[in-house]
Amino acid sequence: MFSHQASPEGFTKTSGLSTIPFWLDNPQRPVARAPLSGVDAADLLVIGGGFTGLWAALEAKIAYPDQRIVLVEGGRIAEGASGRNGGFVSASLTHGFSNGHSRWPNDMTELHRLGVENLAAMQARVAEFAIDCDWLPSGEIDVAVADYQQDQLRETHEQMRESGIKSTLLDAAQVRQLVNSPIYRGGLVDPDVAMVDPARLAWGLARAAEELGVVIHEHSPVRSINDVGDHVEVSLAHGSIDAERVQLATNAYPPLLRRIRHYVIPVYDYVLMTRPLTDPELASIGWSGREGISDSGNQFHYYRMSEDRRILFGGYDAVYHRDNGMGTRFDQDAESFARLADHFVATFPQLSNISFTHAWGGAIDTCSRFSAFWGTAHGGRTAYVMGYTGLGVGASRFGAVTCLDLLYGRQTERTRLEMVRTKPLPFPPEPLRSEVIRWTTAAIKSADRKEGKRNLWLRLLDSLGLGFDS
């Protein structure tokens, strides 16, 4: 298990590092596109240049090639969560099987099928548009670092089997044969996960969309959205767009629609990146398949190996700042970085002398059910999807095309899902919101210390369908 306190050595290991997300710290990063200036019009306006917005623009242009489709991004393409995540592309649409099974047990077989089809469609688009993004269908290993967690993985494996979903249960020796860590007690392999360089994927999607005729503007923040009857008027910093339809893809940033402000909160997540491993270092841990890995605690880590043999190690802390606090001042957290460094060494003591080169953080859009939700406004002319809760690299394409279904009035198996037709419970207003999150965080930490035993507070949340388990 992992300690909760960071050691002084951890702080030393994380000093003097690049604070730019590793994926964005790339000389091949495209130059910024020109901002919108003046008045424009669009059949479809996409607001947000992360994965959801990019997939929406690309898929809309493929489906409706004669329409004028414009995408505006307040900063740079992939500058938000899409460019700083771990690069896990999961088929899961529900933030993992267990979360989905607890909420929509009768739909899990269909949700899994749709998720696998979505993952395959993503891989096909990557090939179709020759997107160089280190796409690797490696699978993911959920590792147990305590005996009770292996019992939980065994239960999940059985539930997946009953739903017709493939997974492979591993004992300690089997999982250590794949990745050599002394703390592993077992594992569960999900084959329907790919690894990717997320920034290069986003840049490739933007290029592909532009090649098809999508117009993209960066450094074009939206100020307001107004329904003016037969269209939507969108005001930007230096111009405006009249749009027949609008798709919102703003992730954790403050929602442009007041009606959804109580459904999403920004939670800060932190990541470290090592220097490239030497041949002896790589041999000491194995990991030849470069699978994605996450451990099974409520406070969990996720980690993977990059194309140039660096280890990305993130997660564990999830920090909420009062009043939905956001901003670059929260992107660095020395204590969280030090804790991650300590936990990295506990996981791979054979790499105790390795150095880190990058340390970064940023906000994740979190909702109370930990998976995406949808909705419309302005008489159906505006649609949105939010709340991916850190597992949106793969689910973002599904979120985008489902939004397009809603905008264009397409009745599909996606729009018939209970997951799409319902919303999560809203978060309470401040100051109660901060107190509820503080109580819940403390309870989750306690559960991890007590072999997963959930206290009265967590059981109450479970009974309300909130299920705070990550």
Side-chain angles (χ1 to χ4, degrees), residues 87-144:
F88 287 59
V89 193
S90 175
S92 176
L93 306 174
T94 61
H95 203 273
F97 173 83
S98 295
N99 187 57
H101 187 267
S102 70
R103 301 179 191 285
W104 306 287
N106 296 329
D107 291 344
M108 276 311 297
T109 300
E110 183 179 12
L111 284 166
H112 177 72
R113 175 182 60 79
L114 290 170
V116 170
E117 291 174 357
N118 178 68
L119 182 63
M122 293 177 70
Q123 183 168 335
R125 293 293 192 220
V126 166
E128 177 184 357
F129 292 102
I131 298 175
D132 177 17
C133 59
D134 187 33
W135 183 280
L136 179 69
S138 61
E140 180 181 356
I141 310 171
D142 194 2
V143 295

Tab-separated table of all heavy atoms in Angstrom, residues 87-144:
chain	number	residue	atom	x	y	z
A	87	GLY	N	-3.181	9.385	-21.792
A	87	GLY	CA	-3.213	8.736	-23.097
A	87	GLY	C	-3.807	7.338	-23.081
A	87	GLY	O	-3.508	6.515	-23.942
A	88	PHE	N	-4.703	7.054	-22.107
A	88	PHE	CA	-5.420	5.779	-22.066
A	88	PHE	C	-6.684	5.918	-22.916
A	88	PHE	O	-7.553	6.734	-22.609
A	88	PHE	CB	-5.835	5.437	-20.638
A	88	PHE	CG	-4.722	5.004	-19.723
A	88	PHE	CD1	-3.630	5.831	-19.472
A	88	PHE	CD2	-4.774	3.776	-19.098
A	88	PHE	CE1	-2.619	5.443	-18.613
A	88	PHE	CE2	-3.771	3.365	-18.232
A	88	PHE	CZ	-2.681	4.202	-17.994
A	89	VAL	N	-6.805	5.131	-23.957
A	89	VAL	CA	-7.989	5.172	-24.824
A	89	VAL	C	-8.817	3.929	-24.532
A	89	VAL	O	-8.593	2.864	-25.101
A	89	VAL	CB	-7.614	5.238	-26.318
A	89	VAL	CG1	-8.840	5.602	-27.162
A	89	VAL	CG2	-6.485	6.217	-26.567
A	90	SER	N	-9.758	4.055	-23.630
A	90	SER	CA	-10.537	2.906	-23.181
A	90	SER	C	-11.827	2.776	-23.966
A	90	SER	O	-12.452	3.782	-24.331
A	90	SER	CB	-10.861	3.058	-21.689
A	90	SER	OG	-11.714	2.015	-21.254
A	91	ALA	N	-12.233	1.531	-24.189
A	91	ALA	CA	-13.547	1.296	-24.794
A	91	ALA	C	-14.676	1.632	-23.830
A	91	ALA	O	-15.812	1.846	-24.265
A	91	ALA	CB	-13.668	-0.163	-25.238
A	92	SER	N	-14.371	1.701	-22.549
A	92	SER	CA	-15.423	1.965	-21.564
A	92	SER	C	-16.016	3.353	-21.763
A	92	SER	O	-15.294	4.342	-21.879
A	92	SER	CB	-14.868	1.849	-20.142
A	92	SER	OG	-15.863	2.204	-19.208
A	93	LEU	N	-17.324	3.413	-21.790
A	93	LEU	CA	-18.053	4.681	-21.876
A	93	LEU	C	-18.530	5.141	-20.505
A	93	LEU	O	-19.124	6.215	-20.392
A	93	LEU	CB	-19.262	4.527	-22.804
A	93	LEU	CG	-18.965	3.986	-24.204
A	93	LEU	CD1	-20.275	3.743	-24.961
A	93	LEU	CD2	-18.062	4.927	-24.974
A	94	THR	N	-18.281	4.338	-19.471
A	94	THR	CA	-18.901	4.548	-18.166
A	94	THR	C	-17.881	4.690	-17.039
A	94	THR	O	-18.178	4.417	-15.890
A	94	THR	CB	-19.852	3.381	-17.839
A	94	THR	OG1	-19.096	2.153	-17.804
A	94	THR	CG2	-20.957	3.275	-18.861
A	95	HIS	N	-16.661	5.102	-17.375
A	95	HIS	CA	-15.592	5.225	-16.381
A	95	HIS	C	-15.338	3.887	-15.714
A	95	HIS	O	-15.227	3.771	-14.487
A	95	HIS	CB	-15.920	6.294	-15.339
A	95	HIS	CG	-14.697	6.837	-14.650
A	95	HIS	ND1	-14.148	6.264	-13.527
A	95	HIS	CD2	-13.906	7.894	-14.938
A	95	HIS	CE1	-13.085	6.944	-13.141
A	95	HIS	NE2	-12.917	7.943	-13.987
A	96	GLY	N	-15.177	2.870	-16.563
A	96	GLY	CA	-14.896	1.534	-16.068
A	96	GLY	C	-16.137	0.689	-15.926
A	96	GLY	O	-17.260	1.186	-15.784
A	97	PHE	N	-15.921	-0.626	-15.965
A	97	PHE	CA	-17.048	-1.556	-15.911
A	97	PHE	C	-17.812	-1.449	-14.596
A	97	PHE	O	-19.041	-1.407	-14.581
A	97	PHE	CB	-16.546	-2.995	-16.099
A	97	PHE	CG	-17.620	-4.029	-15.880
A	97	PHE	CD1	-18.494	-4.359	-16.897
A	97	PHE	CD2	-17.776	-4.642	-14.641
A	97	PHE	CE1	-19.506	-5.287	-16.700
A	97	PHE	CE2	-18.784	-5.575	-14.426
A	97	PHE	CZ	-19.640	-5.901	-15.461
A	98	SER	N	-17.103	-1.402	-13.474
A	98	SER	CA	-17.778	-1.434	-12.178
A	98	SER	C	-18.702	-0.233	-11.994
A	98	SER	O	-19.820	-0.378	-11.490
A	98	SER	CB	-16.748	-1.493	-11.048
A	98	SER	OG	-16.016	-2.707	-11.101
A	99	ASN	N	-18.237	0.943	-12.394
A	99	ASN	CA	-19.076	2.137	-12.272
A	99	ASN	C	-20.328	2.010	-13.148
A	99	ASN	O	-21.440	2.314	-12.711
A	99	ASN	CB	-18.284	3.384	-12.663
A	99	ASN	CG	-19.051	4.667	-12.395
A	99	ASN	OD1	-19.478	4.940	-11.287
A	99	ASN	ND2	-19.235	5.460	-13.441
A	100	GLY	N	-20.144	1.549	-14.375
A	100	GLY	CA	-21.293	1.384	-15.266
A	100	GLY	C	-22.247	0.308	-14.788
A	100	GLY	O	-23.480	0.479	-14.829
A	101	HIS	N	-21.699	-0.796	-14.310
A	101	HIS	CA	-22.534	-1.905	-13.854
A	101	HIS	C	-23.375	-1.513	-12.655
A	101	HIS	O	-24.518	-1.966	-12.497
A	101	HIS	CB	-21.644	-3.105	-13.508
A	101	HIS	CG	-22.405	-4.358	-13.190
A	101	HIS	ND1	-22.761	-4.704	-11.902
A	101	HIS	CD2	-22.891	-5.336	-13.999
A	101	HIS	CE1	-23.424	-5.850	-11.928
A	101	HIS	NE2	-23.522	-6.250	-13.181
A	102	SER	N	-22.835	-0.647	-11.791
A	102	SER	CA	-23.587	-0.218	-10.616
A	102	SER	C	-24.729	0.723	-10.977
A	102	SER	O	-25.693	0.852	-10.218
A	102	SER	CB	-22.658	0.462	-9.611
A	102	SER	OG	-22.206	1.711	-10.096
A	103	ARG	N	-24.654	1.372	-12.136
A	103	ARG	CA	-25.654	2.376	-12.514
A	103	ARG	C	-26.625	1.878	-13.588
A	103	ARG	O	-27.807	2.177	-13.543
A	103	ARG	CB	-24.949	3.643	-12.997
A	103	ARG	CG	-24.029	4.235	-11.940
A	103	ARG	CD	-23.304	5.481	-12.411
A	103	ARG	NE	-22.259	5.863	-11.465
A	103	ARG	CZ	-22.457	6.445	-10.289
A	103	ARG	NH1	-23.699	6.743	-9.917
A	103	ARG	NH2	-21.454	6.735	-9.493
A	104	TRP	N	-26.112	1.152	-14.558
A	104	TRP	CA	-26.938	0.688	-15.679
A	104	TRP	C	-26.692	-0.797	-15.938
A	104	TRP	O	-26.232	-1.189	-17.022
A	104	TRP	CB	-26.622	1.503	-16.940
A	104	TRP	CG	-26.738	2.980	-16.728
A	104	TRP	CD1	-27.891	3.711	-16.575
A	104	TRP	CD2	-25.660	3.922	-16.616
A	104	TRP	NE1	-27.596	5.038	-16.385
A	104	TRP	CE2	-26.242	5.205	-16.406
A	104	TRP	CE3	-24.275	3.832	-16.696
A	104	TRP	CZ2	-25.481	6.361	-16.264
A	104	TRP	CZ3	-23.508	4.972	-16.538
A	104	TRP	CH2	-24.101	6.210	-16.328
A	105	PRO	N	-26.975	-1.648	-14.953
A	105	PRO	CA	-26.643	-3.074	-15.109
A	105	PRO	C	-27.327	-3.734	-16.294
A	105	PRO	O	-26.746	-4.621	-16.930
A	105	PRO	CB	-27.109	-3.683	-13.774
A	105	PRO	CG	-28.106	-2.715	-13.219
A	105	PRO	CD	-27.633	-1.366	-13.666
A	106	ASN	N	-28.537	-3.300	-16.613
A	106	ASN	CA	-29.265	-3.927	-17.721
A	106	ASN	C	-28.737	-3.499	-19.086
A	106	ASN	O	-29.043	-4.143	-20.093
A	106	ASN	CB	-30.754	-3.593	-17.624
A	106	ASN	CG	-31.397	-4.164	-16.373
A	106	ASN	OD1	-30.988	-5.210	-15.873
A	106	ASN	ND2	-32.400	-3.472	-15.854
A	107	ASP	N	-27.961	-2.413	-19.116
A	107	ASP	CA	-27.459	-1.897	-20.397
A	107	ASP	C	-25.987	-2.204	-20.631
A	107	ASP	O	-25.434	-1.808	-21.653
A	107	ASP	CB	-27.635	-0.370	-20.455
A	107	ASP	CG	-29.084	0.054	-20.543
A	107	ASP	OD1	-29.939	-0.805	-20.857
A	107	ASP	OD2	-29.384	1.239	-20.291
A	108	MET	N	-25.326	-2.897	-19.683
A	108	MET	CA	-23.877	-3.009	-19.775
A	108	MET	C	-23.404	-3.767	-21.006
A	108	MET	O	-22.383	-3.414	-21.606
A	108	MET	CB	-23.310	-3.655	-18.524
A	108	MET	CG	-23.086	-2.669	-17.389
A	108	MET	SD	-22.172	-1.162	-17.884
A	108	MET	CE	-20.609	-1.854	-18.377
A	109	THR	N	-24.131	-4.787	-21.424
A	109	THR	CA	-23.713	-5.515	-22.626
A	109	THR	C	-23.749	-4.599	-23.842
A	109	THR	O	-22.803	-4.573	-24.653
A	109	THR	CB	-24.615	-6.745	-22.854
A	109	THR	OG1	-24.507	-7.624	-21.721
A	109	THR	CG2	-24.207	-7.483	-24.118
A	110	GLU	N	-24.816	-3.811	-23.959
A	110	GLU	CA	-24.926	-2.890	-25.080
A	110	GLU	C	-23.910	-1.752	-24.962
A	110	GLU	O	-23.277	-1.357	-25.951
A	110	GLU	CB	-26.336	-2.314	-25.159
A	110	GLU	CG	-26.556	-1.388	-26.357
A	110	GLU	CD	-27.968	-0.856	-26.431
A	110	GLU	OE1	-28.727	-1.010	-25.460
A	110	GLU	OE2	-28.327	-0.269	-27.485
A	111	LEU	N	-23.729	-1.229	-23.755
A	111	LEU	CA	-22.752	-0.158	-23.564
A	111	LEU	C	-21.344	-0.629	-23.905
A	111	LEU	O	-20.555	0.120	-24.500
A	111	LEU	CB	-22.810	0.343	-22.120
A	111	LEU	CG	-23.989	1.250	-21.766
A	111	LEU	CD1	-24.125	1.395	-20.257
A	111	LEU	CD2	-23.831	2.618	-22.422
A	112	HIS	N	-21.037	-1.861	-23.541
A	112	HIS	CA	-19.718	-2.401	-23.881
A	112	HIS	C	-19.554	-2.553	-25.385
A	112	HIS	O	-18.517	-2.179	-25.945
A	112	HIS	CB	-19.502	-3.748	-23.195
A	112	HIS	CG	-18.203	-4.394	-23.559
A	112	HIS	ND1	-16.989	-3.937	-23.118
A	112	HIS	CD2	-17.929	-5.452	-24.376
A	112	HIS	CE1	-16.018	-4.681	-23.607
A	112	HIS	NE2	-16.561	-5.609	-24.371
A	113	ARG	N	-20.596	-3.092	-26.039
A	113	ARG	CA	-20.521	-3.250	-27.498
A	113	ARG	C	-20.332	-1.897	-28.178
A	113	ARG	O	-19.475	-1.755	-29.070
A	113	ARG	CB	-21.795	-3.925	-28.020
A	113	ARG	CG	-21.850	-4.009	-29.558
A	113	ARG	CD	-23.148	-4.626	-30.037
A	113	ARG	NE	-24.323	-3.882	-29.629
A	113	ARG	CZ	-24.753	-2.774	-30.235
A	113	ARG	NH1	-24.091	-2.270	-31.272
A	113	ARG	NH2	-25.857	-2.169	-29.813
A	114	LEU	N	-21.113	-0.906	-27.770
A	114	LEU	CA	-20.972	0.419	-28.365
A	114	LEU	C	-19.595	1.005	-28.093
A	114	LEU	O	-19.007	1.683	-28.947
A	114	LEU	CB	-22.059	1.348	-27.824
A	114	LEU	CG	-23.485	1.061	-28.286
A	114	LEU	CD1	-24.487	1.890	-27.489
A	114	LEU	CD2	-23.633	1.333	-29.782
A	115	GLY	N	-19.056	0.740	-26.899
A	115	GLY	CA	-17.730	1.235	-26.581
A	115	GLY	C	-16.644	0.592	-27.421
A	115	GLY	O	-15.713	1.264	-27.883
A	116	VAL	N	-16.749	-0.714	-27.628
A	116	VAL	CA	-15.772	-1.413	-28.469
A	116	VAL	C	-15.865	-0.925	-29.912
A	116	VAL	O	-14.843	-0.717	-30.584
A	116	VAL	CB	-15.991	-2.940	-28.377
A	116	VAL	CG1	-15.156	-3.676	-29.430
A	116	VAL	CG2	-15.633	-3.442	-26.975
A	117	GLU	N	-17.099	-0.724	-30.391
A	117	GLU	CA	-17.271	-0.194	-31.752
A	117	GLU	C	-16.695	1.216	-31.861
A	117	GLU	O	-16.089	1.576	-32.883
A	117	GLU	CB	-18.757	-0.197	-32.118
A	117	GLU	CG	-19.336	-1.594	-32.303
A	117	GLU	CD	-20.846	-1.583	-32.525
A	117	GLU	OE1	-21.435	-0.467	-32.469
A	117	GLU	OE2	-21.431	-2.665	-32.722
A	118	ASN	N	-16.870	2.012	-30.819
A	118	ASN	CA	-16.326	3.370	-30.820
A	118	ASN	C	-14.804	3.347	-30.857
A	118	ASN	O	-14.170	4.118	-31.606
A	118	ASN	CB	-16.814	4.099	-29.561
A	118	ASN	CG	-16.271	5.508	-29.440
A	118	ASN	OD1	-16.610	6.385	-30.225
A	118	ASN	ND2	-15.423	5.734	-28.446
A	119	LEU	N	-14.193	2.456	-30.074
A	119	LEU	CA	-12.732	2.338	-30.072
A	119	LEU	C	-12.226	1.914	-31.440
A	119	LEU	O	-11.229	2.456	-31.952
A	119	LEU	CB	-12.301	1.339	-29.003
A	119	LEU	CG	-10.803	1.128	-28.837
A	119	LEU	CD1	-10.106	2.408	-28.382
A	119	LEU	CD2	-10.530	-0.019	-27.849
A	120	ALA	N	-12.915	0.957	-32.067
A	120	ALA	CA	-12.520	0.517	-33.401
A	120	ALA	C	-12.660	1.643	-34.423
A	120	ALA	O	-11.824	1.787	-35.329
A	120	ALA	CB	-13.371	-0.688	-33.815
A	121	ALA	N	-13.708	2.453	-34.280
A	121	ALA	CA	-13.903	3.573	-35.202
A	121	ALA	C	-12.793	4.608	-35.043
A	121	ALA	O	-12.328	5.199	-36.030
A	121	ALA	CB	-15.272	4.217	-34.967
A	122	MET	N	-12.356	4.831	-33.813
A	122	MET	CA	-11.248	5.748	-33.588
A	122	MET	C	-9.980	5.245	-34.262
A	122	MET	O	-9.267	5.988	-34.943
A	122	MET	CB	-11.014	5.926	-32.082
A	122	MET	CG	-12.123	6.636	-31.345
A	122	MET	SD	-11.823	6.751	-29.563
A	122	MET	CE	-10.467	7.928	-29.528
A	123	GLN	N	-9.691	3.972	-34.059
A	123	GLN	CA	-8.491	3.401	-34.664
A	123	GLN	C	-8.573	3.470	-36.188
A	123	GLN	O	-7.569	3.747	-36.864
A	123	GLN	CB	-8.306	1.954	-34.210
A	123	GLN	CG	-7.038	1.294	-34.742
A	123	GLN	CD	-6.725	-0.021	-34.054
A	123	GLN	OE1	-7.125	-0.253	-32.919
A	123	GLN	NE2	-5.999	-0.885	-34.746
A	124	ALA	N	-9.766	3.259	-36.739
A	124	ALA	CA	-9.938	3.336	-38.192
A	124	ALA	C	-9.703	4.752	-38.703
A	124	ALA	O	-9.091	4.949	-39.766
A	124	ALA	CB	-11.342	2.854	-38.572
A	125	ARG	N	-10.181	5.763	-37.978
A	125	ARG	CA	-9.948	7.152	-38.387
A	125	ARG	C	-8.455	7.500	-38.314
A	125	ARG	O	-7.927	8.217	-39.170
A	125	ARG	CB	-10.741	8.112	-37.507
A	125	ARG	CG	-12.246	8.040	-37.665
A	125	ARG	CD	-12.697	8.510	-39.032
A	125	ARG	NE	-14.142	8.696	-39.060
A	125	ARG	CZ	-14.925	8.357	-40.083
A	125	ARG	NH1	-14.382	7.802	-41.166
A	125	ARG	NH2	-16.220	8.573	-40.042
A	126	VAL	N	-7.781	7.016	-37.283
A	126	VAL	CA	-6.347	7.260	-37.160
A	126	VAL	C	-5.620	6.712	-38.387
A	126	VAL	O	-4.734	7.371	-38.953
A	126	VAL	CB	-5.801	6.629	-35.863
A	126	VAL	CG1	-4.277	6.565	-35.874
A	126	VAL	CG2	-6.284	7.421	-34.653
A	127	ALA	N	-6.008	5.512	-38.822
A	127	ALA	CA	-5.391	4.922	-40.010
A	127	ALA	C	-5.813	5.663	-41.276
A	127	ALA	O	-4.979	5.944	-42.154
A	127	ALA	CB	-5.766	3.446	-40.102
A	128	GLU	N	-7.099	5.994	-41.381
A	128	GLU	CA	-7.620	6.652	-42.581
A	128	GLU	C	-6.926	7.976	-42.852
A	128	GLU	O	-6.596	8.298	-44.013
A	128	GLU	CB	-9.123	6.876	-42.414
A	128	GLU	CG	-9.796	7.613	-43.564
A	128	GLU	CD	-11.271	7.890	-43.295
A	128	GLU	OE1	-11.782	7.461	-42.226
A	128	GLU	OE2	-11.912	8.551	-44.153
A	129	PHE	N	-6.681	8.750	-41.799
A	129	PHE	CA	-6.084	10.073	-41.969
A	129	PHE	C	-4.590	10.101	-41.645
A	129	PHE	O	-4.005	11.167	-41.527
A	129	PHE	CB	-6.839	11.092	-41.111
A	129	PHE	CG	-8.244	11.345	-41.582
A	129	PHE	CD1	-9.320	10.771	-40.927
A	129	PHE	CD2	-8.489	12.125	-42.703
A	129	PHE	CE1	-10.630	10.985	-41.370
A	129	PHE	CE2	-9.786	12.350	-43.156
A	129	PHE	CZ	-10.860	11.775	-42.489
A	130	ALA	N	-4.000	8.895	-41.529
A	130	ALA	CA	-2.554	8.758	-41.311
A	130	ALA	C	-2.075	9.640	-40.157
A	130	ALA	O	-1.118	10.414	-40.290
A	130	ALA	CB	-1.793	9.087	-42.595
A	131	ILE	N	-2.755	9.527	-39.024
A	131	ILE	CA	-2.406	10.318	-37.841
A	131	ILE	C	-1.299	9.599	-37.079
A	131	ILE	O	-1.496	8.490	-36.572
A	131	ILE	CB	-3.634	10.545	-36.951
A	131	ILE	CG1	-4.706	11.341	-37.714
A	131	ILE	CG2	-3.243	11.278	-35.673
A	131	ILE	CD1	-6.008	11.502	-36.956
A	132	ASP	N	-0.148	10.208	-37.021
A	132	ASP	CA	1.018	9.641	-36.340
A	132	ASP	C	0.935	9.989	-34.861
A	132	ASP	O	1.334	11.079	-34.439
A	132	ASP	CB	2.301	10.201	-36.963
A	132	ASP	CG	3.552	9.708	-36.261
A	132	ASP	OD1	3.464	8.706	-35.523
A	132	ASP	OD2	4.619	10.344	-36.427
A	133	CYS	N	0.405	9.062	-34.054
A	133	CYS	CA	0.168	9.372	-32.645
A	133	CYS	C	0.528	8.208	-31.729
A	133	CYS	O	0.057	8.156	-30.594
A	133	CYS	CB	-1.293	9.775	-32.438
A	133	CYS	SG	-2.487	8.511	-32.924
A	134	ASP	N	1.356	7.289	-32.205
A	134	ASP	CA	1.781	6.144	-31.389
A	134	ASP	C	0.576	5.373	-30.849
A	134	ASP	O	0.526	5.019	-29.672
A	134	ASP	CB	2.702	6.597	-30.253
A	134	ASP	CG	3.313	5.420	-29.486
A	134	ASP	OD1	3.564	4.381	-30.118
A	134	ASP	OD2	3.535	5.551	-28.263
A	135	TRP	N	-0.392	5.119	-31.714
A	135	TRP	CA	-1.566	4.342	-31.314
A	135	TRP	C	-1.137	2.896	-31.071
A	135	TRP	O	-0.604	2.241	-31.954
A	135	TRP	CB	-2.637	4.398	-32.397
A	135	TRP	CG	-3.906	3.690	-32.044
A	135	TRP	CD1	-4.144	2.353	-32.118
A	135	TRP	CD2	-5.114	4.280	-31.562
A	135	TRP	NE1	-5.418	2.055	-31.725
A	135	TRP	CE2	-6.038	3.228	-31.373
A	135	TRP	CE3	-5.495	5.587	-31.290
A	135	TRP	CZ2	-7.334	3.452	-30.923
A	135	TRP	CZ3	-6.795	5.805	-30.831
A	135	TRP	CH2	-7.697	4.750	-30.651
A	136	LEU	N	-1.369	2.385	-29.872
A	136	LEU	CA	-0.920	1.047	-29.500
A	136	LEU	C	-2.043	0.301	-28.784
A	136	LEU	O	-2.377	0.637	-27.642
A	136	LEU	CB	0.307	1.136	-28.585
A	136	LEU	CG	0.882	-0.185	-28.076
A	136	LEU	CD1	1.515	-0.967	-29.220
A	136	LEU	CD2	1.898	0.066	-26.963
A	137	PRO	N	-2.653	-0.714	-29.423
A	137	PRO	CA	-3.733	-1.479	-28.771
A	137	PRO	C	-3.163	-2.474	-27.761
A	137	PRO	O	-3.157	-3.682	-27.967
A	137	PRO	CB	-4.418	-2.177	-29.953
A	137	PRO	CG	-3.345	-2.311	-30.993
A	137	PRO	CD	-2.438	-1.122	-30.826
A	138	SER	N	-2.729	-1.956	-26.633
A	138	SER	CA	-1.964	-2.740	-25.658
A	138	SER	C	-2.812	-3.433	-24.605
A	138	SER	O	-2.378	-4.392	-23.971
A	138	SER	CB	-0.975	-1.811	-24.948
A	138	SER	OG	-1.684	-0.789	-24.264
A	139	GLY	N	-4.018	-2.925	-24.359
A	139	GLY	CA	-4.785	-3.371	-23.212
A	139	GLY	C	-4.352	-2.639	-21.958
A	139	GLY	O	-3.384	-1.881	-21.949
A	140	GLU	N	-5.093	-2.869	-20.866
A	140	GLU	CA	-4.802	-2.241	-19.583
A	140	GLU	C	-4.876	-3.288	-18.484
A	140	GLU	O	-5.737	-4.170	-18.508
A	140	GLU	CB	-5.797	-1.115	-19.286
A	140	GLU	CG	-5.552	-0.417	-17.957
A	140	GLU	CD	-6.562	0.688	-17.660
A	140	GLU	OE1	-7.409	0.961	-18.525
A	140	GLU	OE2	-6.510	1.254	-16.557
A	141	ILE	N	-3.966	-3.167	-17.505
A	141	ILE	CA	-3.963	-4.056	-16.351
A	141	ILE	C	-4.394	-3.264	-15.120
A	141	ILE	O	-3.773	-2.264	-14.768
A	141	ILE	CB	-2.572	-4.651	-16.091
A	141	ILE	CG1	-1.980	-5.254	-17.368
A	141	ILE	CG2	-2.650	-5.729	-15.002
A	141	ILE	CD1	-0.519	-5.659	-17.219
A	142	ASP	N	-5.467	-3.710	-14.493
A	142	ASP	CA	-5.891	-3.144	-13.211
A	142	ASP	C	-5.229	-4.000	-12.144
A	142	ASP	O	-5.550	-5.186	-12.000
A	142	ASP	CB	-7.411	-3.194	-13.097
A	142	ASP	CG	-7.948	-2.336	-11.964
A	142	ASP	OD1	-7.139	-1.679	-11.290
A	142	ASP	OD2	-9.174	-2.334	-11.767
A	143	VAL	N	-4.259	-3.452	-11.408
A	143	VAL	CA	-3.468	-4.258	-10.484
A	143	VAL	C	-3.968	-4.086	-9.054
A	143	VAL	O	-4.389	-3.004	-8.647
A	143	VAL	CB	-1.959	-3.899	-10.567
A	143	VAL	CG1	-1.410	-4.254	-11.935
A	143	VAL	CG2	-1.709	-2.439	-10.244
A	144	ALA	N	-3.927	-5.183	-8.315
A	144	ALA	CA	-4.245	-5.161	-6.891
A	144	ALA	C	-2.949	-4.973	-6.117
A	144	ALA	O	-1.967	-5.676	-6.361
A	144	ALA	CB	-4.915	-6.466	-6.491
